[in-house]
Each structure stands twice: as structure tokens, then as C-alpha cells.
Amino acid sequence: MYETPITGLVLTGGGARAAYQVGVLKALARLRQDTGADRRRNPFAVICGTSAGAINSAALACRADNFDQAVATLCEVWQDFRAEQVYRADSLGVIRSGAQWLTMLSIGFVLARWRRARPRSMLDNSPLAGLLQHAVPLERLPQLLASRELQALAITASSYSSGEHVTFYDSAASIAPWTRSQRKAVPTRITGDHLLASSAIPFVFPATELARGEGVEWFGDGSMRQTAPISPAIHLGAQRVVVIGAGRMHEPPGRTVANTGYPSLAQIAGHALSGIFLDALSVDIERMERINRTLALLPEQARLDTPLRAVQALVIAPSQRLDDIAARHLTELPRPVRTLLRGVGVGGTGQDARGAALASYLLFESAYTRELMALGEADTLARRDEVLSFFAWPKAAAGHPVPV
């Protein structure tokens, strides 16, 4: 069974940046163990994920009967990651996808006259399907929902066909689908294709075809057009939420940026991806906090008369810029991928790095993912008292002091 009150977990997108989420989860599992909280109960009854966060979410949901083991499995995958587990990083694979893609961008109007070459993305993510079969045993999900080890799992994707933002969900009890402006919810059995679709970074990975109603549509990364990342968890019954971001919520004051000339395609692409993956979460958190403050000002009867409810939230986001961390690891990308990215302006290392923001989403290499995991763990342990208070876990079990 899961803990009460019903806690939702919201994991956002960000490609390789999602390693940070695993570090946070590792710290949460460690704190729960050290405090002597009931480890038989799943701390998250409702789990919602988008993009790479969808994969982490599904991996947790499919092992909801053993949260510690679920986190340990995620740690094993992310701490030994290699790019070739996610996308074709060999010379032939990069030539077939990325080189053709760049060529179509530059002289595609010429090629279109005599050739039917239509590369679908910069990189071929076919290896990811094999990784998902190993790391995410979705066949376990129906039984875990039936036994009430989990209340709901939601995976979000964006339809290139209709332009709508769609949340696919599977739940223990019947939950009516909801509809908002450009946002719809669809009850369904979650499959590996839903995870591939949700994590298909625009332009970088190919779209995935999914059934919807009586037809099929092409879907890409769920972070696109995601105006309310926390909303699915609330609709699925969460009374409080833990939100783990993949980027800083706010830049430190006084930060200066050197003018290095006209931005490269990589800089523009990195900026666009940051807007897709990071901005919506910040806005939604501000909206939730504003509603909570407004409700607190209302008389009790007025609060009972409104459909709005205050939602307690624990938001954990990186204390450091992940772009800067990525800049230290650019040379760890496979050589064919580095060559491809150099064509759009990624290069250099450290303070001289260019296009690190774009690379930060593609750096599925262990040195980078381990550093992000360590940061997530440290950021969470630094907020130990706040975490324990949120979950109402004891400060420490007798004879088992909590490390600081």
C-alpha cells in the first residue's frame, strides 16, 4: 500500500538532465530508511512523468511494491550510462540520421527535387527501446494497480498531428478524463511506445505513432506545450506533490554573460529546449503558490464553496546550472556525435565551451550523469528537515541518527 495523505510525484523532462532526479530519489530513499519510516508503504501513490522523467516515472511505478529496489535499479542504470544505450552513436548511425538531417537543413530544397530522403531526426533513438524493456517492466503495472500498491501513473506527450497536449494515464480506480484548453487526458494501458513518444526531444529524436480513440497520431516530447505540469497529479487524486525539476528555477542575481558574437544554431537550440523543458514548470509552481496564498486569505465557508484546494508542494531543483556542468563533459560524448554537434556550433570545454545547453540534454555518459546524481542527492540532503516535515517522517529512529 501507499502512504497517506496521497502524495504525487512529478518528474519533468530534460533528456540526460533527468539523472538529477535519480539523485533526489536516492536521497529520499536514504532519508526514509534512516528515519525508520514504514518501508512497506510506497511514498508516492500517484506518479506523473514527462520526457525523460516519464521513463523514470514508469520505472518507479512498475516497482511500486518496493520503492527502495526501484530507486536502486534506476541508480544502476543512470550511474553507468552510455550514449549508445539511448541513441545510435556509431559513425554509420550518425551518418544515416544526423548527417542527412543537417544536409536537408542546408540544401534540402535542392535534394527534394530528385530524392525522397526524409531523415526524421538528428539522432536515431532505436537503442532506447531495448533499454526500456530491461529497465521498465510495464507488464507488472496492472497487478500493482489492482493490488493498490499504486493509485495512478500518467505519461504526457504532445501530438504533432492535432497540436494537443495529451496525458495518457492508467489508474486503480476509474477516473474520468479531463479536458482543458489544448490539454486532454486519455485513460489507457501504458506501453513502451508512450515512453518513447514522451521522451522524443523535438528535432533530436523521432516522433512515435500512438493510437488515440479510433485513429492514430504522431507524438513527440511531452514538455512541448505543457502549460500545467503539476495538473495531472492533482486530477489523479494527489493531495500533496513532490516536484523534481531538471534545471534551476531562478538564476542567481548579478550573473553576467559574455557576448561571444552572433549565437550559433546550438545556442539557439539550447535556449529553445530550455524554454520547452524548464519555463512551464516555474510558471505552474508560481501559479500554485499564488492559489494557495489566495485560499489562505478566504474565510472557511468561502474555501468550502470553491472547487479550488490548497496543495502542499515540495519542489527540488538543481542548485547549480546544469549547462555549466555539461560544459565540463563535452569531450566525453562519442566522437561521431561530437563531430555532428560541432556542425551546429557545439565545441570547446569548460569556460570556453559553446553550445553546452544543447549538449546537456544528450550527454548520456556516466561521468556527467553521476555528477548530476550526486548534485541531486546533496541538494535533497541539504533540505533534510524540510523533507522530513513534508512526509511527516520521524526525525530519527532510535539508535539510528540521520546523517547530515
Side-chain angles (χ1 to χ4, degrees):
M1 279 294 292
Y2 43 78
E3 293 183 5
T4 55
I6 296 173
T7 306
L9 176 65
V10 178
L11 300 181
T12 59
R17 289 168 168 249
Y20 177 85
Q21 300 169 354
V22 181
V24 174
L25 293 168
K26 181 180 179 182
L28 292 178
R30 174 182 169 185
L31 287 173
R32 191 173 72 138
Q33 293 171 9
D34 290 338
T35 59
D38 189 350
R39 294 170 58 185
R40 294 171 298 176
R41 292 179 176 270
N42 173 18
F44 301 111
V46 175
I47 303 178
C48 303
T50 305
S51 193
I55 296 174
N56 286 340
S57 293
L60 287 176
C62 291
R63 297 180 176 86
D65 53 339
N66 192 334
F67 178 73
D68 292 345
Q69 182 57 50
V71 172
T73 300
L74 277 174
C75 288
E76 289 175 5
V77 171
W78 282 92
Q79 69 187 6
D80 294 321
F81 237 138
R82 302 185 310 278
E84 62 192 36
Q85 295 176 275
V86 179
Y87 52 80
R88 289 282 302 273
D90 58 290
S91 297
L92 181 59
V94 170
I95 289 172
R96 284 180 172 177
S97 57
Q100 288 189 22
W101 184 79
L102 287 178
T103 301
M104 288 295 292
L105 281 180
S106 58
I107 58 173
F109 66 95
V110 175
L111 293 178
R113 287 180 171 272
W114 59 274
R115 188 178 177 187
R116 293 185 177 180
R118 291 291 187 274
R120 294 185 170 186
S121 60
M122 185 171 72
L123 294 170
D124 173 4
N125 68 340
S126 55
L128 180 58
L131 176 64
L132 293 179
Q133 290 182 352
H134 163 70
V136 188
L138 287 166
E139 68 277 3
R140 299 193 73 232
L141 191 59
Q143 180 56 41
L144 292 170
L145 290 168
S147 62
R148 294 301 196 272
E149 298 286 353
L150 183 72
Q151 179 160 306
L153 169 66
I155 303 298
T156 298
S158 184
S159 173
Y160 290 118
S161 303
S162 68
E164 292 178 319
H165 182 262
V166 182
T167 296
F168 298 95
Y169 68 96
D170 200 356
S171 56
S174 178
I175 298 177
W178 59 94
T179 299
R180 298 293 184 269
S181 176
Q182 298 300 319
R183 291 189 286 130
K184 293 184 181 297
V186 176
T188 189
R189 176 71 59 85
I190 303 296
T191 68
D193 284 343
H194 290 97
L195 305 183
L196 289 172
S198 181
S199 59
I201 300 174
F203 300 111
V204 177
F205 297 140
T208 299
E209 203 171 22
L210 296 177
R212 183 181 171 194
E214 297 182 356
V216 293
E217 299 178 19
W218 288 98
F219 283 85
D221 201 293
S223 296
M224 294 185 290
R225 308 196 73 176
Q226 187 177 42
T227 57
I230 303 173
S231 175
I234 306 304
H235 282 289
L236 293 172
Q239 298 164 312
R240 59 184 185 181
V241 292
V242 174
V243 183
I244 307 177
R248 290 177 65 97
M249 294 290 103
H250 306 285
E251 291 293 345
R255 176 173 173 261
T256 59
V257 180
N259 186 342
T260 57
Y262 192 83
S264 66
L265 181 59
Q267 287 177 289
I268 295 172
H271 185 69
L273 290 179
S274 294
I276 291 172
F277 288 116
L278 308 180
D279 292 351
L281 179 61
S282 298
V283 171
D284 204 25
I285 290 172
E286 290 177 356
R287 181 189 301 120
M288 180 182 63
E289 292 174 344
R290 186 166 57 250
I291 291 173
N292 285 347
R293 289 194 299 268
T294 301
L295 290 173
L297 297 174
L298 295 178
E300 182 178 357
Q301 187 57 49
R303 289 199 301 268
L304 294 175
D305 292 339
T306 178
L308 298 175
R309 294 291 180 267
V311 177
Q312 183 185 6
L314 174 65
V315 181
I316 302 177
S319 59
Q320 300 177 28
R321 297 185 75 249
L322 303 193
D323 297 0
D324 295 340
I325 297 176
R328 300 196 291 268
H329 295 278
L330 293 183
T331 57
E332 290 151 22
L333 282 165
R335 185 180 296 274
V337 179
R338 293 205 311 270
T339 302
L340 172 66
L341 293 178
R342 193 178 301 124
V344 295
V346 177
T349 56
Q351 294 182 345
D352 297 325
R354 304 177 305 278
L358 174 60
S360 71
Y361 298 95
L362 305 177
L363 261 165
F364 292 95
E365 295 293 337
S366 60
Y368 176 64
T369 58
R370 287 187 182 199
E371 187 165 351
L372 296 196
M373 289 171 63
L375 178 63
E377 186 175 8
D379 285 348
T380 306
L381 294 178
R383 298 171 60 183
R384 165 183 164 272
D385 289 345
E386 186 180 355
V387 171
L388 299 183
S389 175
F390 176 88
F391 284 101
W393 290 340
K395 291 290 184 181
H400 296 282
V402 178
V404 294

